[in-house]
Amino acid sequence: MEKLEVFKALASPTRIQILDWLKDPEHNFGDQEGIDLVKVGVCVSQIKEKLDMTQSTASQHLSILNKAGLVEYKRLGKWTYYKRDEQVIKNIGKVIEKEL
């Protein structure tokens, strides 16, 4: 985990909102045509719609979160699904507690 990348990613209210939504995907995104939102993740198109922004802007935010290790993605066919990496998020708390 690159601390600087993590803190840069967390410096955006939009990216924090995405992480918050992904913490409870079933509540925040509802049904997704038989996809297990907890195991597989949330389709980028649903995240884009909830953000009310273009696909490219939403994808840019998700890419920054992924680069920081805060989310992971899975491709199923032509769709990309994102979910939080809970272990990395827990580790951030430990780093803050220990080093800052």
Side-chain angles (χ1 to χ4, degrees):
M1 166 182 45
E2 288 288 326
K3 289 183 278 189
L4 185 56
E5 291 298 322
V6 169
F7 292 124
K8 281 183 185 179
L10 294 174
S12 163
T14 299
R15 292 189 288 272
I16 289 175
Q17 181 65 70
I18 292 169
L19 289 172
D20 185 48
W21 288 334
L22 292 177
K23 186 173 186 175
D24 187 1
E26 292 169 325
H27 174 76
N28 291 302
F29 293 97
D31 187 41
Q32 222 177 63
E33 297 180 27
I35 299 291
D36 185 331
L37 298 177
V38 175
K39 288 184 180 179
V40 176
V42 177
C43 183
V44 68
S45 64
Q46 280 195 300
I47 296 170
K48 171 197 85 78
E49 287 175 25
K50 197 160 179 88
L51 288 170
D52 192 28
M53 59 180 54
T54 65
Q55 177 85 26
S56 62
T57 303
S59 292
Q60 184 178 18
H61 283 294
L62 289 162
S63 176
I64 291 167
L65 289 170
N66 180 255
K67 184 177 179 183
L70 297 167
V71 298
E72 52 192 16
Y73 69 92
K74 178 181 285 194
R75 295 223 14 122
L76 295 175
K78 64 180 182 174
W79 307 108
T80 305
Y81 296 85
Y82 286 86
K83 67 179 186 172
R84 290 166 37 126
D85 188 325
E86 296 299 336
Q87 188 59 51
V88 169
I89 292 171
K90 286 178 187 177
N91 290 343
I92 293 165
K94 292 176 186 174
V95 166
I96 291 171
E97 182 179 327
K98 182 179 176 183
E99 298 181 23
L100 297 180

